[in-house]
């Protein structure tokens, strides 16, 4: 299994509070991604990173920010959580920028916003 | 708007039967089409993938059929087994981004 650790694995928070999810990898892979998984929508890309301090938006980036200060860590922040951000969040990593490559996923972080 | 449309949403198949999941896309810039398998409580894992210059790829009981002109691709699971019961996602890649379908929950009855 790829060395990907997501924390926390479960979190319950209240509307309006800030939340940070952490993805830590031990594979030294360049690319890191944050997806959210919701019934009927599959996996939707929030943000991704193609190197330290290099990030780009995905399909559903509104209300989310990311930071990557080290190769191994990719943080996802909800500045002011809303109920619509209740979801399961997955981090994924990939070694290269080539199209024909595998995404390795973490085990997910379940976030509930009350 | 979902960039990759997947159907059906759920599928029940008898053990030994064939499971078929379909996906369609519009963006002709997509250059790689993987399928991911996800078991409950786990992250998705790569199952099989195809490049757009190939019409079919087979790995064991799993086959991808790819129709470039129709912008459609499908996953066939032959001799489906109860252990194949999982959620399956098709995906498409363009410029560092992977776009996923909405998922198909497969239940293989013993």
């Amino acid at each position: 299994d790829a060395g990907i650790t997501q924390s926390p694995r479960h979190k319950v928070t209240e509307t309006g509070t800030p939340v940070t999810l952490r993805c830590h990898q031990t594979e030294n892979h360049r690319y890191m991604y944050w997806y959210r998984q919701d019934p009927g929508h599959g996996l939707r890309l929030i943000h991704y990173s193609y190197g330290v301090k290099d990030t780009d938006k995905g399909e559903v980036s509104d209300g989310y920010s990311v930071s990557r200060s080290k190769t191994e860590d990719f943080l996802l922040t909800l500045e002011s959580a809303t109920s619509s951000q209740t979801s399961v969040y997955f981090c994924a990593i990939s070694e290269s920028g080539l199209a024909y490559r595998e995404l390795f996923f973490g085990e997910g972080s379940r976030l509930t916003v009350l | 708007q979902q960039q990759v449309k997947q159907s059906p949403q759920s599928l029940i198949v008898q053990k030994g039967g064939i499971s078929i999941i379909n996906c369609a896309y519009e963006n002709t810039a997509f250059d790689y089409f993987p399928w991911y398998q996800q078991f409950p409580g786990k992250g998705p894992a790569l199952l099989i993938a195809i490049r757009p210059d190939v019409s079919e790829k087979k790995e064991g009981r799993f086959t991808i059929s790819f129709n470039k002109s129709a912008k459609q691709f499908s996953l066939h699971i032959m001799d489906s087994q109860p252990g194949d019961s999982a959620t399956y996602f098709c995906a498409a890649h363009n410029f560092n981004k992977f776009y996923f379908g909405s998922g198909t929950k497969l239940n293989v009855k013993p």
Side-chain angles (χ1 to χ4, degrees), chain B residues 7-66:
Chain B
S7 64
Q9 186 174 354
S10 63
L11 184 60
I12 299 174
V13 173
Q14 290 295 125
K15 178 183 176 181
I18 302 173
S19 305
I20 301 173
I21 304 170
N22 300 299
C23 286
Y25 64 96
E26 288 297 326
N27 187 350
T28 55
F30 287 143
D31 55 11
Y32 181 56
F33 300 89
W35 285 87
Y36 281 77
Q37 179 187 54
Q38 184 183 33
F39 294 104
K42 300 293 185 182
L46 180 66
L47 181 65
I48 186 173
I50 196 167
R51 304 182 185 197
D53 54 346
V54 175
S55 61
E56 184 175 282
K57 184 173 182 181
K58 183 175 181 179
E59 289 183 1
R61 296 184 294 108
F62 301 91
T63 300
I64 301 177
S65 297
F66 187 81

Side-chain angles (χ1 to χ4, degrees), chain A residues 2 6-7 12 22 39 65 70 72 85 112:
Chain A
Q6 292 187 228
S7 60
V12 180
R22 179 184 184 231
S65 63
K70 297 185 288 185
E72 57 265 35
Q85 294 175 312
T112 302

Side-chain angles (χ1 to χ4, degrees), chain A residues 30-33 48-57 68 74, chain B residues 96:
Chain A
R30 179 181 173 189
Y31 290 80
M32 299 186 75
Y33 300 79
Y48 75 100
S49 170
Y50 48 96
V52 174
K53 293 186 170 40
D54 293 322
T55 64
D56 199 0
K57 294 180 179 180
R68 192 170 178 198
F74 192 32
Chain B
N96 290 324

Side-chain angles (χ1 to χ4, degrees), chain A residues 9 31 33 35 37-45 48 50 56-59 90 94 96-108, chain B residues 1-3 9 31-34 36 38 41-47 49-53 87 89 93 95-103:
Chain A
R9 294 291 313 280
Y31 290 80
Y33 300 79
Y35 284 88
Q37 182 175 8
D38 304 288
H41 292 279
L43 293 151
R44 291 180 291 175
L45 180 64
Y48 75 100
Y50 48 96
D56 199 0
K57 294 180 179 180
E59 304 167 85
F90 284 97
S94 178
S96 76
L98 296 174
Y100 316 128
R101 57 201 167 101
E102 182 172 355
L103 283 180
F104 297 94
F105 284 85
E107 299 213 323
Chain B
Q1 183 182 358
Q2 201 99 26
Q3 296 231 16
Q9 186 174 354
D31 55 11
Y32 181 56
F33 300 89
Y36 281 77
Q38 184 183 33
K42 300 293 185 182
L46 180 66
L47 181 65
I50 196 167
R51 304 182 185 197
D53 54 346
T87 299
F89 294 97
H93 173 273
F95 196 65
N96 290 324
K97 298 179 183 179
F98 286 86
Y99 299 89
F100 285 81
S102 54

